[in-house]
């Protein structure tokens, strides 16, 4: 699986750790930045580029997911969710990580680097990456309604 990763300055150390740890587990890691610490960096471009790459890979049939990191993960999740086709979920424990994939077919996980130890964050992200979408009819139906709104502006009852 290809994994696109982006961060802000607050998640830079966690990002470096994840790139090494997940590469060792066989994931193809693609780093969308930043490459160096800058407390004044503007994370939206990094996260949007990672999200765009996830969508492009998935449209091309590549098995791909994304990770966006920040101090809380909130802003990074918001930025990623502005990309059509992205369902970014903020995960703060194993349950929210696995349910994001199982029920929502989330294709990007957001994690707050200042909210967890490196070990906890790694465990949350690994759980997200390993969990398959359930393909349960009710979840497929709900995701389709979200996609309809995203592409047409129509709210389906």
């Amino acid at each position: 699986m290809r994994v696109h990763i982006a961060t802000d300055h607050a998640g830079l150390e966690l990002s470096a750790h994840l790139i090494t740890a997940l590469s060792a587990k066989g994931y193809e890691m693609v780093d969308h930045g930043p490459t160096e610490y800058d407390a004044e960096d503007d994370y939206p471009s990094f996260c949007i580029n990672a999200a765009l790459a996830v969508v492009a890979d998935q449209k091309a049939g590549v098995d791909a997911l994304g990770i966006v990191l920040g101090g809380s993960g909130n802003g990074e999740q918001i930025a990623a969710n502005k990309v059509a086709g992205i369902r970014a979920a903020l995960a703060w424990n194993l349950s929210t990580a696995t349910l994001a994939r199982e029920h929502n077919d989330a294709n990007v996980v957001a994690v707050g680097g200042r909210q967890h130890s490196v070990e906890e964050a790694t465990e949350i992200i690994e759980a997200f990456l390993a969990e398959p979408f359930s393909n349960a009819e009710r979840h497929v139906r709900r995701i389709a309604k979200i996609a309809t709104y995203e592409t047409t502006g129509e709210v389906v009852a």
Side-chain angles (χ1 to χ4, degrees), residues 6 18 22 29 34 57 62 67 73 77 87 92 100 103 105 108 121 127 155:
L18 289 168
L22 295 174
M29 300 300 295
D57 273 353
V62 175
I67 301 166
Q77 175 202 27
R87 290 174 305 282
W92 59 90
H103 289 187
D105 198 17
V108 172
V155 178

Side-chain angles (χ1 to χ4, degrees), residues 2-3 10 12 14 26 29-30 36-37 40 44 59 65 76-77 81 88 105 122 124 129 133 138 144 147 152:
R2 185 175 296 155
V3 179
L12 192 59
L14 177 57
M29 300 300 295
V30 181
E36 60 187 37
Y37 183 86
E40 297 295 318
K59 284 182 180 178
L65 293 172
E76 296 74 21
Q77 175 202 27
N81 273 322
D105 198 17
T122 302
I124 289 166
L129 296 175
F133 176 52
R138 73 182 191 275
T152 70

Side-chain angles (χ1 to χ4, degrees), residues 104-129:
N104 305 110
D105 198 17
N107 49 10
V108 172
V109 64
V111 173
R114 292 182 175 156
Q115 311 306 311
H116 308 281
S117 68
V118 169
E119 295 78 19
E120 289 170 335
T122 302
E123 187 177 19
I124 289 166
I125 290 165
E126 286 177 341
F128 176 86
L129 296 175

Side-chain angles (χ1 to χ4, degrees), residues 9-117:
H9 61 277
L12 192 59
E13 288 181 24
L14 177 57
S15 179
H17 164 78
L18 289 168
I19 290 168
T20 300
L22 295 174
S23 293
K25 292 189 176 243
Y27 292 100
E28 178 189 348
M29 300 300 295
V30 181
D31 187 1
H32 292 271
T35 58
E36 60 187 37
Y37 183 86
D38 176 0
E40 297 295 318
D41 67 8
D42 289 330
Y43 64 85
S45 59
F46 304 128
C47 297
I48 291 168
N49 284 330
L52 287 167
V54 169
V55 169
D57 273 353
Q58 289 182 336
K59 284 182 180 178
V62 175
D63 188 19
L65 293 172
I67 301 166
V68 293
L69 306 167
S72 69
N74 283 312
E76 296 74 21
Q77 175 202 27
I78 291 166
N81 273 322
K82 296 303 179 184
V83 174
I86 289 297
R87 290 174 305 282
L90 180 65
W92 59 90
N93 59 30
L94 293 176
S95 179
T96 56
T98 57
L99 287 171
R101 290 283 304 131
E102 182 184 353
H103 289 187
N104 305 110
D105 198 17
N107 49 10
V108 172
V109 64
V111 173
R114 292 182 175 156
Q115 311 306 311
H116 308 281
S117 68

